[in-house]
């Protein structure tokens, strides 16, 4: 009897978990990868993302991208799939003169139409991502990682960040937690990193009222509001990043100096990458 009840409960949970969800609100940027896309597409104008930024200057996105056969994340369509992105010793971004940002190792997707002053810089917008670790390319959580964030158009700050590892500015957060962090490095939401499976996040940026909300779920679960009405300076527009930025250890000048071990091959897998227009409080859950 008890066993039957348990099995029925289990079956009900499984049934709920299998339901994918549709995006409910108007899409501003869609970074979901069509099933037909191959690695080389990420080097071309047909990429869902900017093929030039952000990456090591001598690397092509095709060499950093993987297309794993993961189970679809919550907001994938039947004809879209997950994408992995990785960093190695050559992932040194050089925005100006040599030698570039020697402190960082970076590889990040930017939405192609997200030029910093586009429509995403106004009103209420929600950025979504699902994330899981890549067991074949483990991170070194002794370092701080930035994974998803929006950088102001004047490059002076990030309005929010999604991070893991050893946060240089807050050593009390366990290194194997994900954290959603506000503009002043305030920890808004933190939760343990799963060993496998999807964890789904969404951040709503109210750019009129300077308020921020965080939504979260596991697997194919419906997103739940986990932080509401957080005061946050969302001004300044900018670009949404999704990828890996690994900071060095042992320096105050994280951009240019510090320690990075050599021979790295570290990656992470994303799904359901998109930004939606939350006018009228619309959010896909
Ligand atoms: C995916 O395909 C199934 C079966 O054909 C269909 O019922 C479902 O609506 C589709 N889902 C999406 C998100 O297109
Ligand atoms: C940025 O994109 C918007 C919307 O497409 C466009 O109106 C604007 O001219 C673009 N700005 C630059 C600097 O390219
Ligand atoms: C992880 O990073 C720390 C700090 O930089 C370093 O001492 C250690 O050797 C790294 N571990 C691996 C496996 O590379
Ligand atoms: C570090 O984060 C915790 C929340 O996880 C917070 O309580 C604490 O005040 C933060 N410390 C600093 C120095 O910001
Ligand atoms: C890490 O995540 C756990 C689970 O959500 C949470 O209880 C804990 O407070 C987090 N750690 C810190 C220091 O915030």
């Amino acid at each position: 009897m008890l066993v039957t009840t348990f099995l029925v409960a289990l079956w009900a949970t499984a049934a709920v978990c299998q339901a994918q969800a549709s995006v409910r609100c108007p899409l501003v940027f869609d970074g979901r990868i069509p099933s037909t896309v191959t690695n080389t597409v990420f080097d071309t104008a047909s990429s869902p993302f900017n093929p030039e930024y952000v990456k090591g200057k001598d690397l092509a996105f095709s060499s950093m991208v993987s297309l794993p056969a993961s189970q679809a994340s919550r907001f994938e369509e039947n004809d879209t799939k997950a994408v992995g992105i990785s960093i190695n010793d050559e992932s040194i971004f050089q925005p100006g003169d040599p030698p570039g940002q020697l402190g960082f190792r970076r590889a990040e997707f930017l939405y192609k139409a997200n030029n910093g002053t586009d429509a995403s810089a106004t009103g209420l917008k929600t950025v979504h991502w699902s994330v899981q670790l890549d067991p074949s390319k483990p991170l070194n959580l002794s370092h701080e990682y930035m994974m998803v964030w929006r950088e102001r158009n004047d490059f002076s700050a990030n309005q929010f960040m999604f991070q893991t590892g050893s946060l240089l500015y807050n050593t009390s957060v366990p290194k194997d937690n994900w954290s959603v962090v506000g503009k002043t490095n305030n920890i808004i939401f933190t939760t343990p990193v799963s060993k496998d499976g999807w964890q789904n996040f969404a951040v709503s940026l109210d750019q009129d009222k300077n308020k921020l909300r965080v939504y979260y779920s596991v697997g194919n679960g419906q997103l739940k509001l986990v932080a509401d009405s957080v005061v946050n300076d969302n001004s300044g527009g900018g670009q949404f990043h999704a990828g890996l930025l690994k900071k060095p250890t042992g320096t105050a000048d994280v951009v240019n100096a510090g320690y990075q071990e050599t021979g790295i091959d570290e990656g992470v897998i994303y799904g359901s990458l998109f930004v939606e227009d939350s006018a009228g409080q619309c959010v896909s859950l």
Side-chain angles (χ1 to χ4, degrees):
M1 179 58 187
L2 213 99
V3 170
T4 314
T5 313
F6 173 73
L7 284 177
V8 167
L10 202 69
W11 177 83
T13 310
V16 168
C17 285
Q18 274 157 19
Q20 298 289 121
S22 299
V23 173
R24 286 181 53 221
C25 320
L27 280 163
V28 181
F29 305 124
D30 195 355
R32 294 171 300 171
I33 312 301
S35 317
T36 50
V37 160
T38 56
N39 281 47
T40 51
V41 171
F42 288 85
D43 298 333
T44 72
S46 307
S47 173
F49 301 108
N50 188 320
E52 305 291 334
Y53 299 99
V54 176
K55 60 183 184 62
K57 80 174 168 48
D58 297 326
L59 295 176
F61 270 103
S62 54
S63 72
M64 307 171 238
V65 160
S66 63
L67 297 162
S70 336
Q71 194 196 347
S73 58
R74 182 161 178 77
F75 296 105
E76 297 291 349
E77 301 287 343
N78 285 338
D79 58 355
T80 66
K81 62 186 175 187
V83 61
I85 186 161
S86 63
I87 51 172
N88 62 33
D89 300 348
E90 286 162 69
S91 299
I92 296 170
F93 178 51
Q94 188 186 305
D97 293 334
Q101 300 179 342
L102 293 179
F104 293 150
R105 300 292 178 270
R106 320 178 52 166
E108 297 135 37
F109 296 125
L110 300 178
Y111 295 104
K112 239 179 347 196
N114 184 196
N115 67 10
T117 57
D118 55 80
S120 67
T122 60
L124 180 55
K125 301 292 186 298
T126 302
V127 54
H128 287 254
W129 66 96
S130 297
V131 65
Q132 56 178 289
L133 298 178
D134 184 341
S136 68
K137 295 175 186 289
L139 306 180
N140 178 350
L141 298 178
S142 299
H143 289 249
E144 175 181 330
Y145 292 85
M146 289 167 54
M147 321 266 309
V148 177
W149 68 97
R150 189 170 76 168
E151 183 171 21
R152 279 175 59 105
N153 199 38
D154 65 7
F155 303 119
S156 67
N158 304 314
Q159 288 106 340
F160 82 93
M161 297 184 284
F162 172 67
Q163 299 198 267
T164 192
S166 303
L167 304 180
L168 293 163
Y169 57 86
N170 190 329
T171 51
S172 72
V173 179
K175 62 185 182 178
D176 48 3
N177 271 30
W178 302 122
S179 297
V180 176
V181 181
K183 178 157 180 268
T184 58
N185 286 344
N186 48 312
I187 308 289
I188 297 170
F189 175 66
T190 178
T191 193
V193 175
S194 289
K195 295 284 173 284
D196 53 55
W198 291 111
Q199 289 173 280
N200 315 302
F201 296 83
V203 169
S204 289
L205 296 174
D206 187 332
Q207 298 170 105
D208 300 319
K209 298 188 179 135
N210 280 328
K211 293 282 178 65
L212 180 153
R213 285 187 184 131
V214 183
Y215 300 84
Y216 172 69
S217 74
V218 174
N220 261 329
Q222 186 175 52
L223 291 178
K224 296 282 188 317
L225 185 65
V226 291
D228 195 10
S229 294
V230 178
V231 174
N232 196 63
D233 179 1
N234 298 323
S235 67
Q239 290 177 303
F240 292 96
H241 296 236
L244 274 180
L245 184 159
K246 183 184 187 183
K247 292 188 181 174
T249 57
T251 181
D253 182 10
V254 291
V255 180
N256 303 298
Y259 177 72
Q260 291 276 6
E261 64 273 16
T262 55
I264 65 165
D265 181 19
E266 304 182 7
V268 66
I269 300 168
Y270 289 106
S272 299
L273 289 170
F274 64 97
V275 177
E276 66 188 350
D277 189 346
S278 289
Q281 307 297 319
C282 184
V283 179
S284 299
L285 300 175

